[in-house]
Amino acid sequence: MRRPVLLVVAHGSRDPRHAATVHDLVRRVRAQRPGLRVEIGFLDFNVPSVGAVLESLDAEGVRDVVALPLLLTRAFHAKADIPAVLSEAPPRLRFRQADVLGPSPLLLAALERRLYEAGLTPADKSSTGVVLASAGSSDPEAIAVIADVAREWRHTGWCAVRPAFASASLPRTEDAVRELRELGCARVAVAPYVLAPGRLPDRIARGASEADVLADVLGPASEVAQVLLDRYDAARTPLLTALGA
């Protein structure tokens, strides 16, 4: 039996850097799992839409799909938008919605690597405060997850880690930077907990103007690609079991 197609469901953005980064990440996923068919569908702004991809797969005779939200937290898009789009899929398609990407130790590893690429070294950890800067959400569950990630990351040796949000929630990045300064951290770094460039990541960057280090977005990091594959594997197992595979 063929493996289910992996459909990566991205939010989409008017910023062309967003779609370009999503495509780069999917190329990394394909490289790490040769032979796995991976498609991209966007909820808004970019093409192809999720619905168009599902219609195309159905027309080809594909029957089994794992839809994977390209999201770091389980907020409104994962709980409402994506299930609504999938509910309108052609009836012959069998699919499962995979879990969102976060939290994951691999994502923390990717964040840390981005900080090192931006100029920090492992020897800097104990004297460096880090702002874990996410896009933000009005969903309390999503906000709680970011706070938990920050606490977990702090235990790996950083001077301190504080969550911050570009929208919907507080504190903002610049406020968290000032808090870490006042706490006495020798340097302050901002780690964007976002997958691709865009309006909110640009807001994070502006808020990091007084930080010593600003890391890049997670983007097509190998660790992120591996999380996608892990989520795909976890979702496809019960699907294949139900089919008797």
Side-chain angles (χ1 to χ4, degrees):
M1 177 177 289
R2 292 181 179 178
R3 286 180 289 185
V5 171
L6 170 56
L7 172 59
V8 176
V9 180
H11 181 271
S13 171
R14 292 186 178 90
D15 189 321
R17 296 173 297 168
H18 174 90
T21 301
V22 172
H23 284 285
D24 286 344
L25 175 58
V26 167
R27 279 191 284 271
R28 177 68 69 104
V29 172
R30 290 172 179 145
Q32 290 183 204
R33 183 74 61 87
L36 173 62
R37 181 172 179 179
V38 187
E39 300 291 342
I40 307 170
F42 294 92
L43 291 173
D44 207 354
F45 302 117
N46 303 107
V47 293
S49 68
V50 176
V53 175
L54 292 172
E55 293 285 351
S56 178
L57 292 173
D58 178 62
E60 290 180 34
V62 171
R63 291 295 167 258
D64 302 312
V65 178
V66 170
L68 193 155
L70 196 61
L71 301 167
L72 294 172
T73 59
R74 202 177 131 68
F76 183 79
H77 294 303
K79 294 177 179 178
D81 287 348
I82 293 175
V85 171
L86 295 179
S87 70
E88 299 176 358
R92 291 177 295 184
L93 283 177
R94 296 179 293 257
F95 59 85
R96 291 184 63 87
Q97 181 175 325
D99 287 338
V100 297
L101 303 185
S104 167
L106 285 171
L107 294 178
L108 287 181
L111 285 167
E112 203 149 300
R113 185 158 64 82
R114 290 294 188 234
L115 286 170
Y116 295 152
E117 290 169 351
L120 292 179
T121 70
D124 296 323
K125 288 187 73 169
S126 62
S127 58
T128 300
V130 178
V131 177
L132 180 69
S134 76
S137 173
S138 58
D139 188 314
E141 179 186 351
I143 297 304
V145 167
I146 299 300
D148 287 344
V149 171
R151 280 192 291 270
E152 180 181 348
W153 203 15
R154 163 67 182 84
H155 293 317
T156 66
W158 296 100
C159 173
V161 180
R162 294 290 186 271
F165 307 94
S167 68
S169 305
L170 296 174
R172 296 287 182 256
T173 301
E174 53 269 33
D175 298 326
V177 169
R178 285 193 287 270
E179 180 185 350
L180 290 171
R181 291 274 189 225
E182 293 169 1
L183 192 63
C185 297
R187 65 185 63 78
V188 176
V190 174
Y193 192 52
V194 293
L195 289 165
R199 179 177 58 88
L200 293 180
D202 285 348
R203 186 178 295 174
I204 289 171
R206 290 193 296 272
S209 61
E210 296 181 8
D212 301 294
V213 173
L214 171 63
D216 199 359
V217 299
L218 290 168
S222 59
E223 297 93 341
V224 178
Q226 186 58 54
V227 175
L228 264 72
L229 291 170
D230 291 345
R231 298 292 185 258
Y232 167 79
D233 289 337
R236 82 184 184 106
T237 300
L239 176 60
L240 295 180
T241 301
L243 297 174

